[in-house]
Amino acid sequence: MKAKRFLLSSVVFIVVLAAGRFLLLQESQLLHVNGNLLLAVGSDLLFGLFIIALVYVTKKVNRALPYVLTLPLALLYLANMEYIYAMGDVINLRDLFQAADAQFVQGTLSHISFPVYSVLLPASLIFLIVSVDRRKIVFRSYRATLKQLILYGVVLLTVETGFIFLMGNNWEKVSFSQASLHNGMIDLFYREEIVFSEFPSDIDNQVYGVSQIKDGASLLPPEADQPQNILVVAMEGIPGAYLEANQQFFDADHKIRLESLERIRDHTLVVPNFLTHNNQTIRGLYSLLSGGYPKLDASTPDAYEYLQNPQSVSMLPQELKARGYQTAFIQAAPLDYMSKDQFMSTAGFDTIIGSEGFQSSIPFGWGIDDGAFFDQIPAYLEKLDQGESPWFATLLTVGTHHPYAIPAELEAAYPDRKEAAVRYLDESLSRFIDYLQTSDMGKNTLVIFTSDESHGVAGQPYGSNWGLCLVYSPSISGEIVNEGTYGLKDLKGSILDYVDQEKDSDGLGRSIFRAYQGEEPILFASHYSGDVFYTAAKGEVFQLDNRNRLYAIHSANGQLFAKDYTRTRVSDSNMKLSLTMYKQYLNQSLIDPYQELVIISDKQFEAGWGEYFSITGGQYLTLPARSYVTITMDYEWMNPAEGEELTLYLDAEQNPERLGKKTLDTSMAGPGKLVYTFYNEEEWASYNFTLRASMFANTGKLKVNRLSIDFPMEKPAQLEDASEFEMYSQSA
């Protein structure tokens, strides 16, 4: 009877596990395009058998052990389903640290795409664990039993580890969890064969090219007819595959199309071969505003390093201000996440507005839905337009970020929640375009529609880098197609070229408003896998994967993107060496890795009685090895009345079970300093710390004079004027 129950539970678990892939493909409407389905299902079955064997062996040793070892694997499987659905790729294990960030958790868990399955999979696993008879296998002695169980466990883990390493990280061919574990193993064990201590003198020419802006022929009408204002609309995660013009250009259909942008097609310049250089919003925005590559790995974003050394880069808003432009950055997300308020202010934006400046009727953890955002944006733009000088504004949406902000009627109308979110964006954009076409302000505004990153395109070898770039202007007659290859880094030079074609024409780079002879090199990377890509000729892309293997990808149509590709492994040692060098060069820090990072300067927070608010989160920093990580906050608890109090909460991430806490009452009014320190042995990438507060005050306000994180190699001395966070357990 017990054997039958174990057999039944095993079959149920295997069926439920394998059903997850079909559910994901069906929900994403990709079931008919997956040519590796049999191989993938076979990998799912093998992974399921591994879990069954692991449950069987570990249950004989300890009743709780199978829960500890296998439930995390099931949860990783579920997390990967959500991630693939949203971003088209699997989780890299280093990204799991984001689970400690309050803003990330709030945004991600505001909707679960597979709610029933998210219950069924762990339930079937628990049924399997319960069905295993805990009585030990009968051997000659207990010692023999334990030895053999340990041996079985070692064999299981060895076989599974080898399988994970050999099968790679393509979720379309292997189990989702195995693909994630593959990336984690590579991060843990792989080290680059060569580390460059110096670079050739012409390295910038090798990664950016040698073209000057003026080398291209202008594609725009005479300068006198061009609008003065410049509006950049960066849409969260939207790939270029959603433009019908691009689908026709590449002969590569996609089920999603932005009909709103199709309406203005006769007044547009479109760039089909357009790239985002890495994943993550803050990296995309940095590239757009700086005119340079972001780092091609997952280390500390350049934006944080730029805050410490603002003279290192001349930012686009600063240069436009010098030409007499007003500048504004307006986003639908909270400004504290990724410290975008601090970055945008330093970069040169005069007006900075986040989600707190909007009203929305759709609850969404990441910020304001696209409908509310675009309906309320005109009021801010009209206020800018009242000034005597032209203006430059950058908008950033958030509604198409997983798990998506959509109204109930669209959620009911579309089985694919991502498609519903893009339809909602499309409807919202359509109303905004109506406004642009009918208002006096819109008639004097050039609009660049682009994306901060790409949430992926199924079937594309680098779909998570397929960006969107479409320019709308009333002065453009007909559709202009610029067939050159460009990326987010080219928008800064393009905008400056648009503003004054003579002043900046001697600068290096290429403008999307010009056509050039020949191609220039361009690099991009996948944050998820760690792969780096390079192309210097359309139709041919070189890929250096996270195991230092080199591949050549050729498109069937000779363009950057296509319907079909061939991918072959090549043994070009010179190209492999060059890509390794380029990656290391672009991943260099703008500052010393042990230099203090200032996260916040001179920022005031207010909240209602009993309200929680976020101070910072989402930094994604790299902590240097063998350092005493020290978080310091200089603050002022301003004007509290009798009985009012403020409580600060710090999640420093190195111990998920413990949080820092500090309560300030009326007696602690005025300036103060809080310090938290821990020792970090190994280099730690994508580190976050979250600082939140709850305020029970009507008159009291919090001012953060300075919030920083430092990495001294020796333990810092106790500061006389500082107090420490009181640590407490989350379970307490």
Side-chain angles (χ1 to χ4, degrees), residues 82 99 103-112 365-366 402-403:
E82 294 282 349
Q103 177 70 37
F104 179 84
V105 172
Q106 181 184 4
T108 302
L109 296 184
S110 56
H111 180 88
I112 297 175
W366 284 111
H402 178 268

Side-chain angles (χ1 to χ4, degrees), residues 8 67 91 103-104 126 130 142 146-147 165 365 383 397 417 499 559 569 618 622-623 653:
L8 174 63
Y67 294 96
I91 295 172
Q103 177 70 37
F104 179 84
I126 292 172
V130 171
Y142 173 72
L146 185 58
K147 285 182 178 179
F165 188 78
K383 186 175 180 180
T397 71
R417 189 173 174 86
V499 170
Q559 298 291 334
R569 188 168 179 180
T622 296
L623 308 185
E653 222 183 72

Side-chain angles (χ1 to χ4, degrees), residues 62-83:
N62 182 278
R63 191 184 301 273
L65 196 56
Y67 294 96
V68 174
L69 293 180
T70 60
L71 277 175
L73 293 175
L75 294 176
L76 180 61
Y77 192 91
L78 292 172
N80 269 307
M81 286 181 63
E82 294 282 349
Y83 213 72

Side-chain angles (χ1 to χ4, degrees), residues 525-554:
S526 168
H527 167 78
Y528 311 118
S529 65
D531 295 356
V532 174
F533 300 85
Y534 169 89
T535 179
K538 279 188 302 184
E540 181 179 58
V541 174
F542 290 96
Q543 174 190 7
L544 187 66
D545 76 1
N546 57 19
R547 290 169 61 183
N548 204 38
R549 297 175 301 188
L550 184 67
Y551 295 87
I553 303 171
H554 292 93

